[in-house]
Amino acid sequence: MAGDFSVTFWGVRGSIACPGPDFQRYGGNTSCLELRCDGQLLIFDAGTGLRPLGEQLKDQGPLETDLFLTHSHLDHIIGIPFFKPLFDAASKVTFWAGHLLPEHHLREVICTLMVPPLFPVPIDIFAAKTLYNDFAVGETLTPRPGIALRTARLNHPNGATGYRVDYAGKSICYVTDTEHVAGTIDANIVALAKGADILIYDSTYTDAEYPRYKGWGHSTWSEGLRIAETAGVGTFVAFHHDPSHKDGALDRIAEDLAAARPGSLVAREGMTLRA
Ligand SMILES: [Zn+2]
Ligand SMILES: [Zn+2]
């Protein structure tokens, strides 16, 4: 069907994966999204959620995908060595990052992750054709015909990139990890999210928790709602849940969110939304 544009959540946590009985309903894997633009696949972030996504993809034949990183903190890249399509010689994976230049390059950063004694094998083990693209945050990317990707700088230690994907007249905006400045609204993010159908936003903390973690680089769902309102966003999705937020805590956030702005959602593993 032409114009089918969706996002599926494979990892919704921030900081570190948190398996166990208290995390079954929302999931414990760290950041990973699957975007489908009809037959084309884009992946955002490579947290532990990338591993189960790869398990599903490996049975679907050779893969061609672009994988966009918000940044290279461990919770967003640790899934890379465990992504099955990277071990398939018929597949092609293009990695992208916008926060590293000019001091670093993406290939070098992934090499640093996969180096003994931290990891037994280097990136040369990948059989797939791999490309590592660094861009300057703020650039607009066109990885595939018909898909436009805008990028914006986020407020996060070591930098991070927010993305907006426009396809078939619809848009999905992915904004994690970022910290707001109390009393102001982030004009960069508002501009990026203007009129988006879906905004996925760093909602690591509640308003009550945030003061203890000021400066850690994360935000709150209530700040996300302010941005959603200002930018005229369709559906707001709270994302990058703190590992201390068990299912019950996320249920309460879901209730508060829905009361504050009906239709808003708390991201959970396995959830698919159509733009
Ligand atoms: Zn993170
Ligand atoms: Zn981070």
Side-chain angles (χ1 to χ4, degrees):
M1 185 174 76
D4 194 29
F5 185 22
S6 67
V7 55
T8 299
F9 295 82
W10 289 88
V12 299
R13 290 285 157 184
S15 306
I16 192 165
C18 48
D22 292 324
F23 303 93
Q24 278 179 0
R25 285 188 290 111
Y26 290 89
N29 281 306
T30 65
S31 304
C32 182
L33 307 182
E34 171 191 11
L35 263 72
R36 292 278 177 183
C37 305
D38 288 305
Q40 307 189 81
L41 166 65
L42 309 181
I43 299 170
F44 287 81
D45 276 331
T48 64
L50 185 66
R51 189 195 60 80
L53 171 58
E55 289 294 324
Q56 188 186 82
L57 293 171
K58 79 178 197 306
D59 300 323
Q60 298 174 11
L63 175 79
E64 183 172 344
T65 190
D66 291 271
L67 199 164
F68 299 89
L69 298 171
T70 55
H71 63 311
S72 45
H73 285 162
L74 283 176
D75 53 324
H76 298 255
I77 64 167
I78 198 70
I80 290 172
F82 304 95
F83 186 50
K84 283 272 165 66
L86 285 168
F87 299 88
D88 168 24
S91 291
K92 179 182 172 191
V93 180
T94 304
F95 293 93
W96 301 78
H99 66 294
L100 293 169
L101 297 176
E103 293 90 356
H104 299 287
H105 291 90
L106 182 52
R107 188 179 190 282
E108 155 225 326
V109 168
I110 298 174
C111 282
T112 311
L113 171 74
M114 295 177 66
V115 69
L118 296 180
F119 198 78
V121 290
I123 64 168
D124 309 326
I125 198 81
F126 296 152
K129 181 169 169 52
T130 49
L131 291 171
Y132 302 87
N133 290 341
D134 291 282
F135 63 91
V137 63
E139 279 183 43
T140 295
L141 312 171
T142 44
R144 312 279 181 85
I147 302 177
L149 245 122
R150 283 163 56 197
T151 68
R153 184 182 303 280
L154 304 180
N155 179 32
H156 194 63
N158 315 126
T161 304
Y163 292 95
R164 174 198 177 113
V165 185
D166 281 277
Y167 177 70
K170 301 280 188 179
S171 48
I172 297 175
C173 205
Y174 177 48
V175 175
T176 201
D177 300 22
T178 196
E179 181 165 358
H180 57 283
V181 176
T184 68
I185 192 146
D186 191 322
N188 258 357
I189 300 176
V190 170
L192 187 75
K194 197 96 199 152
D197 293 282
I198 296 171
L199 170 63
I200 299 158
Y201 184 80
D202 182 340
S203 304
T204 303
Y205 305 123
T206 63
D207 280 346
E209 292 163 338
Y210 173 70
R212 271 180 281 150
Y213 303 101
K214 198 169 177 313
W216 287 37
H218 297 290
S219 193
T220 62
W221 62 261
S222 60
E223 183 62 27
L225 284 192
R226 272 191 285 279
I227 289 170
E229 280 299 310
T230 307
V233 161
T235 303
F236 175 82
V237 184
F239 183 79
H240 201 273
H241 311 315
D242 190 272
S244 73
H245 289 175
K246 298 175 181 175
D247 285 335
L250 289 175
D251 285 342
R252 284 191 293 281
I253 289 173
E255 284 168 21
D256 292 345
L257 254 181
R261 192 172 194 259
S264 300
L265 298 168
V266 170
R268 67 170 76 206
E269 263 177 57
M271 180 171 94
T272 296
L273 299 175
R274 295 210 135 67

